[in-house]
Amino acid sequence: MNRLFLFQWFLLLLLFIFTKTSISSKPHKIPRLTPLPKNIIQDPNTITSSSSNLPKEFETYYYNQTLDHFNYGPKSYSIFKQRYIINSKYWGGSNSSSPIFAYLGAEAPIDGDILGIGFLTDFAPRFKALLVYMEHRYYGKSRPFGTMEEVLKDEDTRGYFNSEQAIADYAELLLHIKEKYSAQNSPIIVIGGSYGGMLASWFRMKYPHIALGALASSAPILYFDNITPQNGYYSIVSKDFKEASKSCYRTIRKSWSIIDKIASRKNGLSYLSRKFKTCSHLNDSFELKDYLDTTYAKVAQYNNPPSYPVTVVCGGIDGAPKGSHILDRIFAGIVAHQGNQSCYNTSNIPNETSLGWEWQTCSEMVMPIGRGKKDTMFFSSPFNLDDFIDDCKSKYGVSPRPHWITTYYGGHDIKLILHKFASNIIFSNGLRDPYSCAGVLKNISHSLQAVYTRNGSHCLDILSAKPTDPEWLTMQRNTEVEIIEGWITKYHADLNALKHGKKP
């Protein structure tokens, strides 16, 4: 009897092990952080990395950048070419002590941001500012070691690929630019959006002697180390859809189980492939659900006026013929958003940006984003740190450091800590942006200010101004500019006081 029991127990154990190892787990997805909607909604493989098409006032340079700012070994003194672009069209000159607006590049080539991030060029004439756009190491043309694929295969070279090195690059480069333009008394305002917004806020905290202030747009600096509930991002996506249309929200929420049910049937995946006109045959139901999940998240993150993509998707879903099957309504939403195409690509094709961001999230940028069974309009996909670590180890042979960001930059008890030592940071957000759940939404001090709009989306405030912009968006930008003007006015007053031997 005991032997039979042991044998049965052994069989169950084998079954458990086989089940755990034979079912391929889906890698955890951290939604991309980027300021421009075109960089994520359009096919990333169509984005070119060339600054040759820019207006002539944008001049491209390369700086001999230090490979490793934090080590004095022989390899640390290696250099690589870091690309930066200057626009001096509006520059008042070094004698005028006009400011320098420095845009901090993020996880993409710098080319796409230069014309899209219109905040700099829109307000440069008002400030007579020198504009500087700096590319993040390992992206675009600022790669130290060949292609992104080559970099990520080398255990040593990819170790220099992190945010700490990136903002040290920016510090060294900005000091070089100040010297180059004889602009020692020109205050620097760093500007960034999304991941770049995080870099901007962190730069001001780490290098206050270089940057007078920072505009951190849509910077989710609190989405680390469980400071923000993991379902925060998808809760706001769900809220955006529910506010646009409750029937649309309910349709999406019901669709996931129907997709799974159909996929489980014989020829079910073939049926779904035809139903959604996928460019290639679906491998499993997750591929379709992930495609829909990503689409809904994108349109919510970049729910920009005047089109408001969430409303477009819901218009398609709700506008389907009466009595349409629920999946026909879901597909109608895709068509409304993406247009009537011959087929729809549900496959994720790796590119430089996605590969680089995957490494960054598997090393230090560990953002525990997930959701439970019924707390959003999505299917359940909780963040599991152990699974995430295992997945990253299988890819890179090293474990991510989930607590490093808060150790190095802070994050816990931010209101208590920052008001004692930090200053001159604008945390701007739009509350329709899913990442706003992890942004700073309340003033911390008189110079650590939260500027947000109820209807704003991801990084909307730093995009180019348009005649169709609503009044609330124009007011948000004007508020930010007035704050920056106040910083610069005080800087010059303090500088003048010091020159006359007075206390600033």
Side-chain angles (χ1 to χ4, degrees), residues 191-357:
I191 298 165
S194 204
Y195 167 51
M198 291 194 280
L199 296 178
S201 66
W202 294 335
F203 189 94
R204 167 59 187 168
M205 287 187 268
K206 292 292 185 182
Y207 299 97
H209 55 292
I210 297 177
L212 172 67
L215 170 54
S217 177
S218 298
I221 62 170
L222 303 179
Y223 226 142
F224 298 96
D225 216 0
N226 298 316
I227 298 172
T228 296
Q230 64 169 258
N231 68 352
Y233 181 96
Y234 287 100
S235 293
I236 292 183
V237 176
S238 302
K239 180 174 177 287
D240 289 346
F241 274 84
K242 195 170 187 178
E243 287 182 350
S245 165
K246 290 182 180 179
S247 60
C248 171
Y249 166 87
R250 288 193 295 266
T251 299
I252 293 171
R253 188 164 187 170
K254 292 175 183 176
S255 67
W256 310 115
S257 60
I258 294 173
I259 291 172
D260 284 334
K261 185 177 180 180
I262 292 174
S264 67
R265 298 172 182 168
K266 184 180 179 180
N267 299 322
L269 290 174
S270 296
Y271 172 83
L272 290 173
S273 299
R274 292 192 302 271
K275 174 75 72 176
F276 285 89
K277 294 174 64 176
T278 61
C279 294
S280 58
H281 189 272
L282 293 169
N283 296 309
D284 51 33
S285 64
F286 179 82
E287 183 180 337
L288 176 58
K289 292 196 299 182
D290 184 58
Y291 168 71
L292 295 171
D293 171 330
T294 301
T295 299
Y296 301 144
K298 287 175 184 176
V299 298
Q301 190 164 319
Y302 302 100
N303 196 30
N304 297 354
S307 59
Y308 293 112
V310 169
T311 303
V312 172
V313 172
C314 282
I317 290 174
D318 292 341
K322 189 175 181 180
S324 296
H325 188 275
I326 192 168
L327 295 190
D328 289 322
R329 283 182 273 159
I330 293 295
F331 181 61
I334 295 297
V335 174
H337 170 56
Q338 298 186 12
N340 193 359
Q341 301 179 18
S342 59
C343 69
Y344 297 85
N345 185 16
T346 57
S347 302
N348 293 316
I349 303 173
N351 60 81
E352 176 193 298
T353 291
S354 64
L355 290 172
W357 183 239

Side-chain angles (χ1 to χ4, degrees), residues 25-232:
S25 61
K26 304 299 179 182
H28 181 75
K29 179 178 64 179
I30 296 176
R32 271 281 312 284
L33 282 155
T34 181
L36 291 170
K38 69 177 183 179
N39 284 357
I40 189 167
I41 290 182
Q42 76 179 37
D43 181 357
N45 295 286
T46 66
I47 299 170
T48 58
S49 179
S50 173
S51 54
S52 60
N53 297 325
L54 292 172
K56 62 181 181 180
E57 60 263 28
F58 293 93
E59 298 179 288
T60 301
Y61 299 93
Y62 290 87
Y63 176 69
N64 290 329
Q65 186 58 264
T66 305
L67 176 63
D68 185 359
H69 300 280
F70 307 108
N71 194 300
Y72 293 89
K75 194 172 183 178
S76 299
Y77 289 86
S78 301
I79 61 171
F80 69 94
K81 300 289 185 181
Q82 182 178 12
R83 181 168 55 155
Y84 68 101
I85 295 170
I86 297 279
N87 181 346
S88 57
K89 177 180 179 179
Y90 312 101
W91 174 231
S94 57
N95 292 332
S96 69
S97 297
S98 299
I100 298 171
F101 285 176
Y103 180 75
L104 308 189
E107 79 288 17
I110 196 69
D111 310 88
D113 291 347
I114 292 171
L115 297 182
I117 305 298
F119 187 94
L120 283 78
T121 48
D122 288 347
F123 293 103
R126 179 169 174 171
F127 288 90
K128 297 182 180 180
L130 178 69
L131 306 183
V132 182
Y133 302 81
M134 301 178 292
E135 190 164 63
H136 193 294
R137 60 166 53 199
Y138 288 85
Y139 291 105
K141 295 184 178 179
S142 300
R143 288 192 302 270
F145 304 103
T147 66
M148 184 66 78
E149 289 84 355
E150 291 170 337
V151 166
L152 295 179
K153 286 179 182 177
D154 190 303
E155 294 179 355
D156 292 324
T157 58
R158 70 180 181 227
Y160 302 105
F161 187 0
N162 57 61
S163 66
E164 301 92 309
Q165 296 282 6
I167 62 173
D169 289 343
Y170 296 149
E172 186 173 318
L173 179 50
L174 285 172
L175 291 178
H176 165 75
I177 290 169
K178 268 201 163 188
E179 182 178 359
K180 179 179 178 179
Y181 284 86
S182 301
Q184 294 305 319
N185 291 331
S186 297
I188 295 174
I189 306 297
V190 292
I191 298 165
S194 204
Y195 167 51
M198 291 194 280
L199 296 178
S201 66
W202 294 335
F203 189 94
R204 167 59 187 168
M205 287 187 268
K206 292 292 185 182
Y207 299 97
H209 55 292
I210 297 177
L212 172 67
L215 170 54
S217 177
S218 298
I221 62 170
L222 303 179
Y223 226 142
F224 298 96
D225 216 0
N226 298 316
I227 298 172
T228 296
Q230 64 169 258
N231 68 352

Side-chain angles (χ1 to χ4, degrees), residues 35 45 111 333 432 440 454 462 496:
N45 295 286
D111 310 88
R432 284 188 174 177
V440 177
R454 183 183 181 279
I462 61 171
N496 188 57

Side-chain angles (χ1 to χ4, degrees), residues 406-452:
T406 54
T407 300
Y408 191 71
Y409 297 114
H412 292 285
D413 300 319
I414 192 168
K415 293 178 183 177
L416 176 66
I417 303 301
L418 285 194
H419 86 278
K420 288 291 186 181
F421 80 91
S423 62
N424 291 6
I425 303 174
I426 300 169
F427 295 100
S428 65
N429 282 279
L431 298 188
R432 284 188 174 177
D433 173 19
Y435 272 120
S436 68
C437 68
V440 177
L441 301 178
K442 292 183 179 180
N443 292 348
I444 296 175
S445 70
H446 71 280
S447 68
L448 294 172
Q449 295 183 264
V451 179
Y452 65 86

